[in-house]
Amino acid sequence: MRSLNKIIRSVQAFGREFSRKAVAPEPRVPAIGVALGGGFARGMAHIGVLKVLEEEGIAVRCIAGTSVGALIGAVYCSGLSAKELERVAQSCRFTTFARWTVSRYGFASNDRMVAFLRRTLKVTNFEQLRIPLGVTATDFNSGEGVVFHSGSIIDPVRASCAYPGMFLPVEIRGRYLVDGMLSHPVPTQPLLEMGADRVVAVHLRGTWTKEGAPRHLFDVIGQSFAIAQDQMSHLWRSAADVLVEPDVSGFAYDDFKRCGDLIRAGEAAMRAVLPEVRKWIEAPAPTPVATQRKNSPAVARPAPVPAD
């Protein structure tokens, strides 16, 4: 009888140990999301960020984009590699996306973006993208932030790029939409809602104008929005784990011709924070880490990239 009790206790102890091991969570690599902010031509720096992540074999699980970040995010998520995107960007100019017009709502239309996207995107619906994408815009009447995840990609990207005062608003299903930067300057929060565990935020910091008097109306509008974005930066920084800030201070808002320099600036900034990102991969968390937000994300502010 004593031997039987000993066997029973041994079996019970084994069962408890087995149960503990069975329910122990397996370490997993966190889902990394990339938030791409606005900046017009300066947005070419986003390509450099994506290029480094691709070269280092760091999987991006989702992307959210505002304004030019939405444009670059859409093309990348549709299936182009970072190098293919770089080749496309080298031929882009203001007239690739926009044309001047006479309207009480703005001085330019971005309707040329439709043709650009149709010939550049590998797919035209969100559901067909190889990487999930969120495109932000702002409802002009209510001020509400809107994030698109389904249906056609083209008009949401146009709406996200509809810079107030310059480009005409874009109507989608009865709503007049303008640039997503008014509601999501850097769309970190939408990434969390898309399931990202870790967020890489790419902020194209820099003034719209050089020191001194503004040159024209667009300088006045642009610099005003740049000031407003700085004032509300705490809203999106709190959802970021790593902050990447390419040095774009020496570039004009329409400096498409300096595409190569802008891409190198993005590469330098991303490489500066690679050690932090690698920690997420080399020491996988046993549980989701999306709720473990940092008050002060790691920031990269590399030295300026020399011109060609």
Side-chain angles (χ1 to χ4, degrees), residues 244-269:
V244 183
E245 288 192 316
D247 185 357
V248 295
S249 57
F251 298 88
Y253 76 96
D254 57 350
D255 243 343
F256 289 98
K257 63 183 180 296
R258 296 182 65 189
C259 170
D261 296 333
L262 283 160
I263 291 173
R264 284 191 287 277
E267 290 182 67

Side-chain angles (χ1 to χ4, degrees), residues 194-205:
M194 293 169 67
D197 297 320
R198 293 291 190 185
V199 173
V200 176
V202 188
H203 179 220
L204 303 177
R205 184 172 186 165

